[in-house]
Amino acid sequence: MRKACFYVFLFLGPLQELSDLFERYANGMACAQRIFLMLDTRPEVRDADEPTRLGHVRGEVSFNDVVFAYSTRSTTPVYRPSRPHNSGRRGIAIVGPTGHGKSTLVQLLTRFYDVTGGSVTLDGHDVRQLAQDSLRRHVGVVLQDNVLFSGNILDNLRLAAPKPRTST
Ligand SMILES: Nc1ncnc2c1ncn2[C@@H]1O[C@H](COP(=O)(O)OP(=O)(O)OP(=O)(O)O)[C@@H](O)[C@H]1O
Ligand SMILES: [Mg+2]
């Protein structure tokens, strides 16, 4: 009897492994589908026909009468026209209660979204006229929800450009 049990377990073990393998394969396929869907999606924010590339950047940021809503159907925009805000050379602190649009301002500056009205400028250039790679090369963002990859902090900061740049 014991011997029979032993053989049954011997037989069931590989079957269990096979079923685990199929589960991992199905998970992998679902993830791959999502990745390819994302890669095939045409971004809404695109470069202008002849975008400007930034040279030396002073870092003056202005928000001019910015109007923005995440959805065109939204009846409550995140921003309505207000007086212009300029960081000047000394910088600007944006403070406000949760959900009032602080992170959204950063997303507009880096062009993850485009303003619906008004403009955001960097050193006087409307960010919509700037080449996205040039703009993002000059704007560093530390978001509140961070994902850290293995390695040290410097490795994480240099993820997209592991070698230090020598020019702009
Ligand atoms: N991707 C999105 N799609 C739709 N609505 C969004 C999206 N991201 C933010 N919102 C909405 O826009 C508004 C502003 O959000 P935002 O994240 O900019 O606020 P916040 O000031 O940074 O808040 P917190 O202090 O919590 O970080 C909120 O009402 C939020 O629900
Ligand atoms: Mg935020």
Side-chain angles (χ1 to χ4, degrees):
M1 183 62 188
R2 265 193 198 165
K3 217 171 180 180
C5 273
F6 174 73
Y7 282 123
V8 168
F9 278 118
L10 216 60
F11 175 69
L12 288 180
L15 280 184
Q16 177 69 46
E17 276 178 34
L18 208 61
S19 115
D20 289 349
L21 199 69
F22 273 117
E23 193 183 318
R24 279 164 58 190
Y25 171 77
N27 274 340
M29 285 302 286
C31 290
Q33 263 177 9
R34 265 182 257 157
I35 290 170
F36 285 117
L37 182 73
M38 208 168 90
L39 290 176
D40 289 341
T41 305
R42 195 154 185 249
E44 285 172 24
V45 174
R46 289 190 288 274
D47 277 353
D49 286 340
E50 288 183 13
T52 308
R53 301 196 69 81
L54 289 161
H56 172 72
V57 172
R58 295 190 308 280
E60 285 184 34
V61 174
S62 285
F63 296 93
N64 312 302
D65 295 333
V66 168
V67 182
F68 176 72
Y70 277 98
S71 158
T72 46
R73 280 166 289 149
S74 173
T75 49
T76 49
V78 181
Y79 304 113
R80 296 188 175 84
S82 62
R83 67 190 170 84
H85 294 281
N86 190 314
S87 71
R89 292 192 179 201
R90 296 182 57 201
I92 186 171
I94 302 161
V95 186
T98 186
H100 273 222
K102 302 178 296 292
S103 301
T104 304
L105 281 179
V106 175
Q107 313 230 48
L108 294 175
L109 171 64
T110 44
R111 281 200 79 203
F112 290 117
Y113 295 91
D114 272 340
V115 290
T116 322
S119 66
V120 180
T121 62
L122 175 60
D123 285 356
H125 301 282
D126 189 321
V127 291
R128 287 168 294 184
Q129 298 305 320
L130 296 173
Q132 288 177 65
D133 68 321
S134 174
L135 169 67
R136 290 177 191 159
R137 209 172 273 268
H138 289 89
V139 181
V141 177
V142 180
L143 294 171
Q144 63 212 81
D145 306 312
N146 283 309
V147 177
L148 285 176
F149 295 98
S150 56
N152 56 32
I153 299 289
L154 193 60
D155 293 338
N156 275 273
L157 289 172
R158 288 191 180 152
L159 199 62
K163 286 184 188 159
R165 272 181 286 128
T166 48
S167 62
T168 53

PDB file of all heavy atoms in Angstrom, residues 61-67 84-85 105 108-109 114-122 124-128:
ATOM      1  N   VAL A  61      10.867  79.041 -15.522  1.00  0.00           N
ATOM      2  CA  VAL A  61       9.623  78.374 -15.927  1.00  0.00           C
ATOM      3  C   VAL A  61       8.454  79.318 -15.707  1.00  0.00           C
ATOM      4  O   VAL A  61       8.374  79.979 -14.669  1.00  0.00           O
ATOM      5  CB  VAL A  61       9.411  77.088 -15.087  1.00  0.00           C
ATOM      6  CG1 VAL A  61       8.072  76.459 -15.386  1.00  0.00           C
ATOM      7  CG2 VAL A  61      10.535  76.107 -15.342  1.00  0.00           C
ATOM      8  N   SER A  62       7.556  79.423 -16.704  1.00  0.00           N
ATOM      9  CA  SER A  62       6.359  80.259 -16.549  1.00  0.00           C
ATOM     10  C   SER A  62       5.109  79.475 -16.897  1.00  0.00           C
ATOM     11  O   SER A  62       5.107  78.714 -17.862  1.00  0.00           O
ATOM     12  CB  SER A  62       6.411  81.455 -17.511  1.00  0.00           C
ATOM     13  OG  SER A  62       7.309  82.395 -17.049  1.00  0.00           O
ATOM     14  N   PHE A  63       4.085  79.665 -16.105  1.00  0.00           N
ATOM     15  CA  PHE A  63       2.763  79.110 -16.407  1.00  0.00           C
ATOM     16  C   PHE A  63       1.864  80.291 -16.724  1.00  0.00           C
ATOM     17  O   PHE A  63       1.628  81.137 -15.861  1.00  0.00           O
ATOM     18  CB  PHE A  63       2.226  78.331 -15.202  1.00  0.00           C
ATOM     19  CG  PHE A  63       3.065  77.125 -14.878  1.00  0.00           C
ATOM     20  CD1 PHE A  63       4.085  77.205 -13.946  1.00  0.00           C
ATOM     21  CD2 PHE A  63       2.842  75.915 -15.506  1.00  0.00           C
ATOM     22  CE1 PHE A  63       4.875  76.110 -13.644  1.00  0.00           C
ATOM     23  CE2 PHE A  63       3.618  74.808 -15.221  1.00  0.00           C
ATOM     24  CZ  PHE A  63       4.643  74.906 -14.288  1.00  0.00           C
ATOM     25  N   ASN A  64       1.433  80.397 -17.982  1.00  0.00           N
ATOM     26  CA  ASN A  64       0.675  81.569 -18.412  1.00  0.00           C
ATOM     27  C   ASN A  64      -0.772  81.207 -18.735  1.00  0.00           C
ATOM     28  O   ASN A  64      -1.020  80.507 -19.726  1.00  0.00           O
ATOM     29  CB  ASN A  64       1.323  82.167 -19.677  1.00  0.00           C
ATOM     30  CG  ASN A  64       2.815  82.321 -19.499  1.00  0.00           C
ATOM     31  OD1 ASN A  64       3.272  82.992 -18.588  1.00  0.00           O
ATOM     32  ND2 ASN A  64       3.590  81.641 -20.336  1.00  0.00           N
ATOM     33  N   ASP A  65      -1.683  81.650 -17.899  1.00  0.00           N
ATOM     34  CA  ASP A  65      -3.116  81.398 -18.113  1.00  0.00           C
ATOM     35  C   ASP A  65      -3.415  79.945 -18.469  1.00  0.00           C
ATOM     36  O   ASP A  65      -4.209  79.658 -19.370  1.00  0.00           O
ATOM     37  CB  ASP A  65      -3.644  82.293 -19.252  1.00  0.00           C
ATOM     38  CG  ASP A  65      -3.587  83.756 -18.878  1.00  0.00           C
ATOM     39  OD1 ASP A  65      -3.648  84.034 -17.662  1.00  0.00           O
ATOM     40  OD2 ASP A  65      -3.477  84.590 -19.785  1.00  0.00           O
ATOM     41  N   VAL A  66      -2.766  79.034 -17.768  1.00  0.00           N
ATOM     42  CA  VAL A  66      -2.910  77.617 -18.127  1.00  0.00           C
ATOM     43  C   VAL A  66      -4.319  77.098 -17.847  1.00  0.00           C
ATOM     44  O   VAL A  66      -4.880  77.339 -16.788  1.00  0.00           O
ATOM     45  CB  VAL A  66      -1.867  76.766 -17.355  1.00  0.00           C
ATOM     46  CG1 VAL A  66      -2.180  75.281 -17.468  1.00  0.00           C
ATOM     47  CG2 VAL A  66      -0.476  77.055 -17.875  1.00  0.00           C
ATOM     48  N   VAL A  67      -4.884  76.439 -18.862  1.00  0.00           N
ATOM     49  CA  VAL A  67      -6.157  75.729 -18.708  1.00  0.00           C
ATOM     50  C   VAL A  67      -5.851  74.277 -19.037  1.00  0.00           C
ATOM     51  O   VAL A  67      -5.173  73.993 -20.025  1.00  0.00           O
ATOM     52  CB  VAL A  67      -7.215  76.254 -19.714  1.00  0.00           C
ATOM     53  CG1 VAL A  67      -8.544  75.525 -19.505  1.00  0.00           C
ATOM     54  CG2 VAL A  67      -7.408  77.746 -19.567  1.00  0.00           C
ATOM     55  N   PRO A  84      -0.309  84.825 -14.419  1.00  0.00           N
ATOM     56  CA  PRO A  84       0.892  84.056 -14.751  1.00  0.00           C
ATOM     57  C   PRO A  84       1.755  83.807 -13.519  1.00  0.00           C
ATOM     58  O   PRO A  84       1.765  84.612 -12.594  1.00  0.00           O
ATOM     59  CB  PRO A  84       1.625  84.955 -15.753  1.00  0.00           C
ATOM     60  CG  PRO A  84       0.666  85.987 -16.164  1.00  0.00           C
ATOM     61  CD  PRO A  84      -0.345  86.124 -15.083  1.00  0.00           C
ATOM     62  N   HIS A  85       2.442  82.676 -13.512  1.00  0.00           N
ATOM     63  CA  HIS A  85       3.392  82.357 -12.451  1.00  0.00           C
ATOM     64  C   HIS A  85       4.746  82.127 -13.093  1.00  0.00           C
ATOM     65  O   HIS A  85       4.857  81.347 -14.027  1.00  0.00           O
ATOM     66  CB  HIS A  85       2.965  81.100 -11.691  1.00  0.00           C
ATOM     67  CG  HIS A  85       1.691  81.300 -10.941  1.00  0.00           C
ATOM     68  ND1 HIS A  85       1.636  81.957  -9.744  1.00  0.00           N
ATOM     69  CD2 HIS A  85       0.432  80.944 -11.239  1.00  0.00           C
ATOM     70  CE1 HIS A  85       0.385  81.995  -9.331  1.00  0.00           C
ATOM     71  NE2 HIS A  85      -0.366  81.390 -10.221  1.00  0.00           N
ATOM     72  N   LEU A 105       1.081  70.097 -12.755  1.00  0.00           N
ATOM     73  CA  LEU A 105       1.937  71.167 -13.299  1.00  0.00           C
ATOM     74  C   LEU A 105       3.250  70.594 -13.818  1.00  0.00           C
ATOM     75  O   LEU A 105       3.734  70.983 -14.874  1.00  0.00           O
ATOM     76  CB  LEU A 105       2.241  72.210 -12.209  1.00  0.00           C
ATOM     77  CG  LEU A 105       1.161  73.236 -11.905  1.00  0.00           C
ATOM     78  CD1 LEU A 105       1.626  74.150 -10.788  1.00  0.00           C
ATOM     79  CD2 LEU A 105       0.824  74.060 -13.140  1.00  0.00           C
ATOM     80  N   LEU A 108       2.760  68.905 -17.059  1.00  0.00           N
ATOM     81  CA  LEU A 108       2.599  69.850 -18.178  1.00  0.00           C
ATOM     82  C   LEU A 108       3.955  70.416 -18.584  1.00  0.00           C
ATOM     83  O   LEU A 108       4.228  70.614 -19.769  1.00  0.00           O
ATOM     84  CB  LEU A 108       1.649  70.987 -17.792  1.00  0.00           C
ATOM     85  CG  LEU A 108       0.193  70.582 -17.542  1.00  0.00           C
ATOM     86  CD1 LEU A 108      -0.620  71.766 -17.059  1.00  0.00           C
ATOM     87  CD2 LEU A 108      -0.429  69.999 -18.800  1.00  0.00           C
ATOM     88  N   LEU A 109       4.803  70.654 -17.592  1.00  0.00           N
ATOM     89  CA  LEU A 109       6.141  71.184 -17.895  1.00  0.00           C
ATOM     90  C   LEU A 109       6.954  70.164 -18.696  1.00  0.00           C
ATOM     91  O   LEU A 109       7.655  70.517 -19.637  1.00  0.00           O
ATOM     92  CB  LEU A 109       6.866  71.545 -16.589  1.00  0.00           C
ATOM     93  CG  LEU A 109       8.350  71.898 -16.715  1.00  0.00           C
ATOM     94  CD1 LEU A 109       8.531  73.157 -17.556  1.00  0.00           C
ATOM     95  CD2 LEU A 109       8.979  72.095 -15.343  1.00  0.00           C
ATOM     96  N   ASP A 114      -0.394  67.958 -22.775  1.00  0.00           N
ATOM     97  CA  ASP A 114      -0.323  69.328 -23.288  1.00  0.00           C
ATOM     98  C   ASP A 114      -1.456  70.157 -22.705  1.00  0.00           C
ATOM     99  O   ASP A 114      -2.554  69.633 -22.470  1.00  0.00           O
ATOM    100  CB  ASP A 114      -0.424  69.333 -24.824  1.00  0.00           C
ATOM    101  CG  ASP A 114       0.946  69.171 -25.471  1.00  0.00           C
ATOM    102  OD1 ASP A 114       1.955  69.437 -24.792  1.00  0.00           O
ATOM    103  OD2 ASP A 114       0.991  68.760 -26.637  1.00  0.00           O
ATOM    104  N   VAL A 115      -1.174  71.436 -22.496  1.00  0.00           N
ATOM    105  CA  VAL A 115      -2.211  72.324 -21.938  1.00  0.00           C
ATOM    106  C   VAL A 115      -3.379  72.429 -22.922  1.00  0.00           C
ATOM    107  O   VAL A 115      -3.196  72.297 -24.132  1.00  0.00           O
ATOM    108  CB  VAL A 115      -1.648  73.743 -21.669  1.00  0.00           C
ATOM    109  CG1 VAL A 115      -0.674  73.749 -20.518  1.00  0.00           C
ATOM    110  CG2 VAL A 115      -1.027  74.334 -22.911  1.00  0.00           C
ATOM    111  N   THR A 116      -4.568  72.672 -22.388  1.00  0.00           N
ATOM    112  CA  THR A 116      -5.737  72.876 -23.240  1.00  0.00           C
ATOM    113  C   THR A 116      -5.808  74.338 -23.669  1.00  0.00           C
ATOM    114  O   THR A 116      -6.303  74.668 -24.736  1.00  0.00           O
ATOM    115  CB  THR A 116      -7.028  72.513 -22.446  1.00  0.00           C
ATOM    116  OG1 THR A 116      -6.759  71.377 -21.625  1.00  0.00           O
ATOM    117  CG2 THR A 116      -8.192  72.224 -23.361  1.00  0.00           C
ATOM    118  N   GLY A 117      -5.314  75.203 -22.807  1.00  0.00           N
ATOM    119  CA  GLY A 117      -5.276  76.635 -23.124  1.00  0.00           C
ATOM    120  C   GLY A 117      -4.092  77.260 -22.409  1.00  0.00           C
ATOM    121  O   GLY A 117      -3.524  76.660 -21.491  1.00  0.00           O
ATOM    122  N   GLY A 118      -3.688  78.453 -22.848  1.00  0.00           N
ATOM    123  CA  GLY A 118      -2.537  79.111 -22.234  1.00  0.00           C
ATOM    124  C   GLY A 118      -1.244  78.420 -22.656  1.00  0.00           C
ATOM    125  O   GLY A 118      -1.219  77.695 -23.657  1.00  0.00           O
ATOM    126  N   SER A 119      -0.192  78.633 -21.883  1.00  0.00           N
ATOM    127  CA  SER A 119       1.084  78.010 -22.261  1.00  0.00           C
ATOM    128  C   SER A 119       1.987  77.817 -21.046  1.00  0.00           C
ATOM    129  O   SER A 119       1.836  78.486 -20.027  1.00  0.00           O
ATOM    130  CB  SER A 119       1.802  78.881 -23.299  1.00  0.00           C
ATOM    131  OG  SER A 119       2.168  80.108 -22.703  1.00  0.00           O
ATOM    132  N   VAL A 120       2.917  76.892 -21.215  1.00  0.00           N
ATOM    133  CA  VAL A 120       3.974  76.696 -20.229  1.00  0.00           C
ATOM    134  C   VAL A 120       5.275  76.982 -20.966  1.00  0.00           C
ATOM    135  O   VAL A 120       5.484  76.463 -22.072  1.00  0.00           O
ATOM    136  CB  VAL A 120       4.001  75.242 -19.702  1.00  0.00           C
ATOM    137  CG1 VAL A 120       5.107  75.064 -18.675  1.00  0.00           C
ATOM    138  CG2 VAL A 120       2.654  74.859 -19.112  1.00  0.00           C
ATOM    139  N   THR A 121       6.110  77.832 -20.407  1.00  0.00           N
ATOM    140  CA  THR A 121       7.357  78.155 -21.104  1.00  0.00           C
ATOM    141  C   THR A 121       8.563  77.832 -20.234  1.00  0.00           C
ATOM    142  O   THR A 121       8.512  77.907 -19.009  1.00  0.00           O
ATOM    143  CB  THR A 121       7.422  79.647 -21.508  1.00  0.00           C
ATOM    144  OG1 THR A 121       7.376  80.448 -20.327  1.00  0.00           O
ATOM    145  CG2 THR A 121       6.288  80.034 -22.433  1.00  0.00           C
ATOM    146  N   LEU A 122       9.634  77.459 -20.918  1.00  0.00           N
ATOM    147  CA  LEU A 122      10.930  77.247 -20.263  1.00  0.00           C
ATOM    148  C   LEU A 122      11.907  78.186 -20.957  1.00  0.00           C
ATOM    149  O   LEU A 122      12.094  78.108 -22.179  1.00  0.00           O
ATOM    150  CB  LEU A 122      11.374  75.787 -20.435  1.00  0.00           C
ATOM    151  CG  LEU A 122      12.758  75.424 -19.908  1.00  0.00           C
ATOM    152  CD1 LEU A 122      12.874  75.673 -18.409  1.00  0.00           C
ATOM    153  CD2 LEU A 122      13.060  73.958 -20.200  1.00  0.00           C
ATOM    154  N   GLY A 124      11.392  81.077 -21.825  1.00  0.00           N
ATOM    155  CA  GLY A 124      10.678  81.815 -22.870  1.00  0.00           C
ATOM    156  C   GLY A 124      10.230  80.960 -24.041  1.00  0.00           C
ATOM    157  O   GLY A 124       9.491  81.423 -24.904  1.00  0.00           O
ATOM    158  N   HIS A 125      10.636  79.686 -24.102  1.00  0.00           N
ATOM    159  CA  HIS A 125      10.190  78.808 -25.191  1.00  0.00           C
ATOM    160  C   HIS A 125       8.928  78.082 -24.737  1.00  0.00           C
ATOM    161  O   HIS A 125       8.939  77.448 -23.671  1.00  0.00           O
ATOM    162  CB  HIS A 125      11.225  77.717 -25.507  1.00  0.00           C
ATOM    163  CG  HIS A 125      12.563  78.242 -25.900  1.00  0.00           C
ATOM    164  ND1 HIS A 125      12.821  78.728 -27.151  1.00  0.00           N
ATOM    165  CD2 HIS A 125      13.727  78.325 -25.210  1.00  0.00           C
ATOM    166  CE1 HIS A 125      14.096  79.096 -27.221  1.00  0.00           C
ATOM    167  NE2 HIS A 125      14.659  78.873 -26.048  1.00  0.00           N
ATOM    168  N   ASP A 126       7.889  78.134 -25.559  1.00  0.00           N
ATOM    169  CA  ASP A 126       6.700  77.326 -25.292  1.00  0.00           C
ATOM    170  C   ASP A 126       7.134  75.859 -25.360  1.00  0.00           C
ATOM    171  O   ASP A 126       7.742  75.440 -26.357  1.00  0.00           O
ATOM    172  CB  ASP A 126       5.633  77.617 -26.369  1.00  0.00           C
ATOM    173  CG  ASP A 126       4.296  76.966 -26.032  1.00  0.00           C
ATOM    174  OD1 ASP A 126       4.309  75.834 -25.523  1.00  0.00           O
ATOM    175  OD2 ASP A 126       3.254  77.609 -26.285  1.00  0.00           O
ATOM    176  N   VAL A 127       6.843  75.081 -24.322  1.00  0.00           N
ATOM    177  CA  VAL A 127       7.353  73.696 -24.296  1.00  0.00           C
ATOM    178  C   VAL A 127       6.819  72.865 -25.460  1.00  0.00           C
ATOM    179  O   VAL A 127       7.430  71.872 -25.861  1.00  0.00           O
ATOM    180  CB  VAL A 127       7.049  72.976 -22.949  1.00  0.00           C
ATOM    181  CG1 VAL A 127       7.865  73.579 -21.819  1.00  0.00           C
ATOM    182  CG2 VAL A 127       5.576  72.975 -22.624  1.00  0.00           C
ATOM    183  N   ARG A 128       5.672  73.296 -26.053  1.00  0.00           N
ATOM    184  CA  ARG A 128       5.126  72.539 -27.197  1.00  0.00           C
ATOM    185  C   ARG A 128       5.991  72.691 -28.441  1.00  0.00           C
ATOM    186  O   ARG A 128       5.883  71.913 -29.379  1.00  0.00           O
ATOM    187  CB  ARG A 128       3.687  72.983 -27.490  1.00  0.00           C
ATOM    188  CG  ARG A 128       2.702  72.479 -26.448  1.00  0.00           C
ATOM    189  CD  ARG A 128       1.379  73.139 -26.570  1.00  0.00           C
ATOM    190  NE  ARG A 128       1.460  74.578 -26.260  1.00  0.00           N
ATOM    191  CZ  ARG A 128       0.425  75.389 -26.215  1.00  0.00           C
ATOM    192  NH1 ARG A 128      -0.773  74.926 -26.459  1.00  0.00           N
ATOM    193  NH2 ARG A 128       0.590  76.663 -25.921  1.00  0.00           N
TER     194      ARG A 128
END
